[in-house]
Amino acid sequence: MNLGARRMSNVRADDEAFEALFRSEYARVVGIANRVLADSHEAEDVAQDVFIDFHRLHSASADYAPAWLHRAAAHASLNRLRGARRRLRREVAQAAEEGERTMDPQKQVEVDEDRRRVREALARLAPKPAAVLVLRASGLSYAEVAGALGVGIGQIGTMLRRAEVALRKEVTRGTSD
Amino acid sequence: MVDDPDVGREDAAHLEGCADCQTLFKSISDDALSVASMLAVPDARVDVTRGYDRVRSARASSPRLGFRFPALMPRSRPMVLALAATFAAIAILAVVAQDFKTNIQPNSVTPVPITVADMQALTLLGNYGTVTWTKPPNLQVVSSAADAASVAGGMQPPVVTNLPKGVFPNITYAAMPQAVAVFTFSSDKAAAAAGQQGKTLPKMPAGMDGAKLTVTVGPAVGEIFGDLKQGSSASDISLPLIVGKSAAPTATSTQVTVKQMEDVILAQPGISPELKAAIKAIGNPSSTLPIPIPVAFTTSRTVTVQGVQGVALGDNTGVGSGVVWVKNGVVYAVAGPIKQSDAIDIANNLK
């Protein structure tokens, strides 16, 4: 096989690997972003940006690809949340409108308000505690959370406990302000 | 960890028979449930095919870079720029210091102080002739050590046996096949360049016009420890640690001697007296690889690494440091946001 043909073959293999990676991880990456943003449309935007960035930098067959995507999804969505606090009320309301149309209106108002307070509190947490909470709440195992954050699996339990305490504290602080 | 689906049977069995752990578990479990409830959202409705189509079209309009350095934190920029300047200058200064008539194989390194003005002056070399890559540098990012070795003509990546705490353990491999550049000196171009600066050329030795300098770099292979996707989205991630090795650069020349070429290059406007003195002071230019050290940014000292003499850059603050050494015709480098003592430790334990 000449050099040109080999390159074409490599490109094809890389494209196929990327598509396979996308199909296996996209829903999970969207899920992580949605957990943070409470907006499925915005979560899809974040997830697609994450995949595009990954493609530009890495081989889709890299062992660390899922861990990288999970971490990037958490950080990118948390960053967007921090930059969008002022828009939070509208966004959360929009998510509720699309996801829970059958709910009682009074109950809906309460859910919206709780969700807004929690996201504001999440945005105030340091990046790592916020990420560990979001990844775990998105269904990742301890090993997957550890892989995504580049820490030992033995640290995850402690990190989660501390992050949970920090989040509840921030939610309480936000309520009493 | 009992809420982890991957938890082992032993832990679950212990929990079943331990009242204290059950109480603690209930407390932890209640907290976790409470937070999970706080973070609950309606599931996102995901259209994978439509998502993939959008990503595929975005990829087409924004082709992959192959490799991109991460965005740099402001406090790290001077150090990184200094290191980049350092490595960019290695080949040029190696050439200046070596005997062009012979294939050279340096077996030790020595620090040479270099200023920003020196760097600017050295980049003007292109005004004095033509640089042609007969084998262009082709750095490739690959996903395994085997792939890296394949790109680098069989050279195996170094193996780090002790990673300092705080270094992101994900490894990206980078490799480059051998690259070859030929610099052909042109008296006409040199005269024109000097004329533009209002200067006249110093007297040229016979044979200078058309003299060729062939520099070979690599193959090289390295490991990058870190999250290469850095940027505004993550404030807690840092610069990568780079551990690499390369066949020592070699240089040959035609028509002129090393002394003649050196005199011409060092006669360029802008080269500092310190650099001239440092280069001329190198004891045995055929066996010593000069490592340019930007004087304004960092400090250097000679150290013993793997039983040979090397150069350590930076300090123990952890902002940035590096070690460079040559052993058996191979140049090794360890550099990153770590303490100098950690860099030396990695170097000494490299397999």
Side-chain angles (χ1 to χ4, degrees), chain B residues 11-348:
Chain B
D11 292 330
H14 172 82
L15 177 66
E16 209 166 301
C18 177
D20 287 346
C21 286
Q22 282 175 11
T23 306
L24 183 60
F25 172 64
K26 183 163 187 335
S27 161
I28 291 174
S29 177
D30 288 348
D31 284 350
L33 279 174
S34 156
V35 169
S37 163
M38 284 182 186
L39 290 171
V41 287
D43 285 342
R45 290 187 299 273
V46 175
D47 186 337
V48 177
T49 301
R50 196 182 62 176
Y52 183 69
D53 288 344
R54 287 177 62 185
V55 167
R56 195 172 52 181
S57 59
R59 280 166 52 200
S61 62
S62 176
R64 73 183 304 163
L65 302 178
F67 181 78
R68 186 174 72 184
F69 281 108
L72 305 179
M73 287 178 288
R75 68 186 170 87
S76 302
R77 281 183 186 139
M79 184 276 293
V80 174
L81 288 174
L83 283 178
T86 297
F87 290 112
I90 284 176
I92 298 168
L93 283 182
V95 165
V96 172
Q98 310 300 337
D99 181 350
F100 301 153
K101 290 287 190 187
T102 318
N103 275 319
I104 57 97
Q105 192 79 17
N107 54 28
S108 66
V109 292
T110 191
V112 174
I114 186 168
T115 66
V116 173
D118 291 329
M119 290 299 303
Q120 291 168 341
L122 288 168
T123 60
L124 296 176
L125 269 180
N127 294 342
Y128 288 72
T130 307
V131 177
T132 308
W133 288 97
T134 54
K135 285 189 194 171
N138 181 21
L139 182 67
Q140 298 175 37
V141 175
V142 293
S143 57
S144 72
D147 289 347
S150 170
V151 170
M155 178 179 273
Q156 295 293 328
V159 177
V160 175
T161 57
N162 56 335
L163 206 56
K165 280 185 180 174
V167 174
F168 199 70
N170 283 0
I171 301 178
T172 303
Y173 293 93
M176 187 185 82
Q178 189 182 67
V180 180
V182 180
F183 173 71
T184 307
F185 190 88
S186 161
S187 295
D188 288 344
K189 285 188 77 170
Q196 280 183 346
Q197 296 184 49
K199 298 181 187 295
T200 54
L201 275 180
K203 191 179 175 189
M204 292 286 184
M208 194 67 199
D209 187 38
K212 287 184 189 299
L213 185 65
T214 301
V215 180
T216 302
V217 184
V221 63
E223 293 169 343
I224 304 156
F225 294 85
D227 184 354
L228 297 188
K229 167 64 181 72
Q230 286 193 90
S232 57
S233 64
S235 57
D236 65 333
I237 44 186
S238 57
L239 292 168
L241 168 70
I242 297 172
V243 180
K245 68 180 189 182
S246 166
T250 63
T252 58
S253 75
T254 62
Q255 299 183 197
V256 293
T257 66
V258 61
K259 183 71 172 65
Q260 289 167 325
M261 186 69 90
E262 185 179 298
D263 284 347
V264 169
I265 292 174
L266 292 184
Q268 285 187 85
I271 297 281
S272 70
E274 291 81 7
L275 179 62
K276 287 181 194 175
I279 288 174
K280 287 178 185 301
I282 292 173
N284 182 355
S286 67
S287 62
T288 304
L289 179 66
I291 304 297
I293 307 298
V295 288
F297 294 130
T298 187
T299 57
S300 71
R301 67 188 178 97
T302 57
V303 290
T304 300
V305 180
Q306 300 259 2
V308 300
Q309 183 193 300
V311 175
L313 316 174
D315 54 35
N316 266 334
T317 61
V319 172
S321 68
V323 188
V324 183
W325 72 100
V326 179
K327 189 170 182 180
N328 300 329
V330 177
V331 183
Y332 294 83
V334 174
I338 54 177
K339 295 177 182 177
Q340 191 187 78
S341 54
D342 285 337
I344 293 170
D345 197 38
I346 291 171
N348 273 323

Side-chain angles (χ1 to χ4, degrees), chain A:
Chain A
M1 191 185 288
N2 65 29
L3 192 60
R6 198 183 310 153
R7 277 187 182 150
M8 282 303 292
S9 169
N10 288 344
V11 167
R12 248 195 321 272
D14 197 45
D15 281 350
E16 285 168 6
F18 181 75
E19 183 171 356
L21 177 69
F22 189 92
R23 292 192 181 280
S24 70
E25 289 294 336
Y26 182 62
R28 200 167 225 198
V29 170
V30 173
I32 293 168
N34 186 46
R35 186 75 48 179
V36 175
L37 298 165
D39 179 327
S40 60
H41 293 307
E42 196 172 16
E44 285 213 70
D45 285 346
V46 167
Q48 288 162 16
D49 286 348
V50 163
F51 273 97
I52 290 165
D53 280 348
F54 179 87
H55 173 75
R56 295 176 71 201
L57 293 162
H58 302 284
S59 163
S61 53
D63 293 341
Y64 57 79
W68 190 101
L69 292 167
H70 301 157
R71 176 184 167 98
H75 282 300
S77 50
L78 283 165
N79 191 56
R80 192 177 282 214
L81 182 70
R82 290 186 196 101
R85 276 188 228 174
R86 279 170 294 184
R87 300 198 308 271
L88 207 53
R89 188 184 292 272
R90 177 176 59 78
E91 290 170 355
V92 169
Q94 183 185 13
E97 184 186 333
E98 291 170 3
E100 299 163 359
R101 282 177 180 153
T102 56
M103 198 179 281
D104 169 70
Q106 178 57 36
K107 177 74 177 163
Q108 184 66 67
V109 170
E110 290 169 16
V111 168
D112 290 350
E113 182 59 20
D114 285 349
R115 208 170 271 156
R116 182 189 63 77
R117 276 207 311 271
V118 171
R119 263 73 204 170
E120 285 192 346
L122 193 62
R124 288 196 296 271
L125 289 188
K128 211 160 227 173
V132 78
L133 280 178
V134 166
L135 293 172
R136 184 71 186 115
S138 301
L140 272 68
S141 70
Y142 277 39
E144 288 171 322
V145 175
L149 298 182
V151 300
I153 190 171
Q155 295 175 251
I156 296 299
T158 307
M159 286 175 71
L160 264 174
R161 286 283 286 163
R162 288 181 180 158
E164 285 165 3
V165 170
L167 180 66
R168 278 145 60 105
K169 200 168 158 186
E170 282 299 333
V171 170
T172 307
R173 190 161 73 93
T175 309
S176 60
D177 281 349

